[in-house]
Structure formats: C-alpha cells, structure tokens
Amino acid sequence: MSYEGLVTRSIAFAVDAAVINLIAIAVGAVVALAISVLSVPDWLETALVAVGGAAYLLWSIGYFTTFWSTTGQTPGDRLMQIRVCRADGERLSAGRSVLRLIGLTLAAIPLFAGFLPILFDNRRRGLHDMLAGTVVVASASPAQTPAPA
Amino acid sequence: MPLPITSVTIWVMRPAATAITAVQRRVEDAMLGAVEDAVERAIAKGLVERIVEQLLREGIVERTVDRIFDERRVVDELAKRLIESEALWVLVDEIAQSPAVTEAITRQSVGFVDQVAGEVRQRSRSADARLERAARRALRRPV
C-alpha cells in the first residue's frame, strides 16, 4: 500500500482550493452584480456579506465532506491519483469527513505545524489523519489494512 | 456617264470578298469536323489513355508539375487565389467542425492534460521522497 506524501497532497489541496475559490468568485460576482443594480440599505448589505461568508464556509465544508465521504477523492485528489480512506481501507462517513476537515483547520493554525508529522509518520499521517483515523493512499493501489505506525 | 473608278472597284470586290468568306467558312467547318472525327476515333481506340500512360511513364507529367512548382510566381498566384476564394474557407469551416476533427482535437487535448498531470505526479512523488529523507536526516531518524 502506497501512502502519499506532503508535496503530492499539497498540490491536490491547492487544486481543490482553486476550484472552490473560482466557483465562489464566479457566484459572488454574479450575486454582487445583481445586487449592484438594486438600491439596498446598508444594514442589508452587511447582512448579505455575512450570508455570503456563511455560504462560502458551507460550500467549502460541503465540497470536502461530500467528496471524501462518497468517492474518497476530491477533484484535486483525482488529478494526483490519491484517495482518502479510513485506516482499514474503508470509505469515510460524513461525520468522519467533517472531523477530518476540523483537524485540517487545526493543523493549519500553528503555522501548518500540524502537517509536519506527514514527513515522519510511517503511514504519512498528519494531525487531521490521526484525529479522524484516516490515511491517504495512491488511488490505483487496493485498500489494505496498513501496518501499525 | 462613265463610272467612277471607286464604284467599279466596289462592284467587283464585294462579290469576291463574299465568296472568299464563304469558302473560308466551308474550309473551317470541314477542318473542324475532321479534327472532331479524329479526336473521337483517338478516344475510341484508347489513344488518349496510351498517351497519358506514356507521359506518366516517361515522367513528363512529374517534370511539368515540378516546373510549375519551381515557377514561384505560379504557386504564389495559386495560393493567393485559394486564400481569396470563399469556397476554401467554407471548406475549412466544414472540416474544422467535422466530428472526426473535433474528436481528434479533444483526444489530443485530453492526452496532453494527462501527460502534464502524469509528469506533475511523478515529480511530486520524488519531491516527497527527497523532503522526507531531508527531514529524517535533520532529526537523525533512520532514513
């Protein structure tokens, strides 16, 4: 079983970030243009910005959790031919996907230090993988029960 | 009253000219008929095919085509006329929109994207290995 490293996973994540942001920017631009022709009060504009922020957050969470819990691959993962699965090779549940995403955020907060274990762990797991009990493997290889770290 | 010299000349020359024209036409018709008959006979006997075969066999056609293409002016003129021709662009449009061409372009584009992605994957995996070796070395862990 081939576990995937930091560089490959970072590229996949960058592709996903690009997809998420491009779609969000496109949708945001359309909504902003539509609103620009209407005269809305200031409080409503503020409320719309807050709604936009919440929508962006939901969109990001939905993107990752949906792909991880269905195919195990986001578009970026697919491009890099990697797959997220449980340590026993099974597919992630929606709850575990959310947990992994929370772990991903936590790992990024201390200057991305949460990702450093990927460089040393036998199964190349980051903080978020340890938290959610997941591994990232090459999508071509069959899921197997990995050796304990 | 004596006839003036010009009137006499006209009186004599006009019928002569008419006669000459009639004879000329007859000769032309006869010659054309003969040529047509000869061409028909030549086609019927397969003479044209034999001539063409001989021209091809002796490389005369090839040499002639070479000479035409060597003559830069002819080629330039041909290219110019082709570019100016509306039919050419209609043909180009037709070809560009044909399913075979669009399919080939799509296949080539997908192939190119696959090739680039494959190269990125390969490089990222070797970068992973290098990075991990460096990290383990820095922490004095077994590589």
Side-chain angles (χ1 to χ4, degrees):
Chain A
M1 192 167 203
S2 164
Y3 299 103
E4 295 299 330
L6 186 62
V7 178
T8 307
R9 291 164 65 170
S10 300
I11 293 170
F13 189 78
V15 171
D16 289 328
V19 171
I20 288 171
N21 285 326
L22 279 175
I23 293 173
I25 288 167
V27 172
V30 170
V31 173
L33 276 171
I35 290 171
S36 69
V37 295
L38 309 167
S39 59
V40 289
D42 285 349
W43 67 268
L44 188 56
E45 261 186 34
T46 312
L48 283 171
V49 169
V51 168
Y56 177 77
L57 193 67
L58 277 176
W59 157 235
S60 301
I61 294 168
Y63 177 92
F64 285 110
T65 54
T66 305
F67 282 118
W68 286 341
S69 61
T70 52
T71 61
Q73 283 183 309
T74 59
D77 292 344
R78 201 175 186 83
L79 185 78
M80 297 307 288
Q81 290 186 354
I82 62 178
R83 186 169 60 87
V84 181
C85 59
R86 273 182 1 203
D88 58 4
E90 290 299 312
R91 193 172 290 167
L92 273 67
S93 64
R96 198 180 284 262
S97 299
V98 174
L99 185 63
R100 189 172 191 267
L101 191 61
I102 292 168
L104 196 76
T105 314
L106 291 175
I109 288 172
L111 297 173
F112 301 97
F115 299 112
L116 287 179
I118 297 173
L119 297 173
F120 309 106
D121 186 68
N122 286 343
R123 286 185 284 174
R124 290 175 158 174
R125 291 175 306 166
L127 176 69
H128 52 301
D129 290 317
M130 291 170 184
L131 200 68
T134 57
V135 286
V136 179
V137 295
S139 62
S141 69
Q144 290 171 5
T145 307
Chain B
M1 192 173 103
L3 287 167
I5 188 76
T6 48
S7 302
V8 172
T9 309
I10 290 166
W11 187 74
V12 173
M13 292 301 284
R14 188 175 284 161
T18 310
I20 287 168
T21 309
V23 169
Q24 218 171 17
R25 198 171 295 142
R26 285 276 176 84
V27 169
E28 273 177 15
D29 288 348
M31 280 177 73
L32 269 175
V35 169
E36 277 174 13
D37 287 348
V39 169
E40 273 173 19
R41 273 201 304 276
I43 290 169
K45 285 180 182 174
L47 190 64
V48 177
E49 282 92 338
R50 283 207 297 278
I51 291 169
V52 170
E53 267 176 31
Q54 197 173 352
L55 289 172
L56 287 170
R57 201 168 46 242
E58 291 178 9
I60 295 169
V61 174
E62 209 177 335
R63 281 201 299 277
T64 310
V65 171
D66 282 348
R67 275 179 61 191
I68 290 170
F69 278 98
D70 285 344
E71 188 71 34
R72 189 76 201 162
R73 190 178 49 81
V74 177
V75 179
D76 287 350
E77 184 63 25
L78 190 67
K80 194 180 156 199
R81 284 191 190 179
L82 263 175
I83 289 166
E84 283 169 0
S85 151
E86 200 177 317
L88 173 74
W89 298 111
V90 172
L91 182 69
V92 169
D93 275 351
E94 285 292 323
I95 292 170
Q97 286 167 11
S98 70
V101 171
T102 49
E103 194 187 322
I105 292 169
T106 308
R107 210 167 39 232
Q108 203 171 19
S109 307
V110 171
F112 178 67
V113 170
D114 276 349
Q115 202 179 341
V116 172
E119 186 67 27
V120 170
R121 280 194 292 271
Q122 197 181 338
R123 280 169 187 256
S124 75
R125 275 160 189 148
S126 62
D128 278 332
R130 277 203 304 274
L131 190 64
E132 280 167 26
R133 272 199 303 275
R136 283 164 193 263
R137 218 177 287 130
L139 290 184
R140 299 182 197 286
R141 281 194 176 197
V143 178

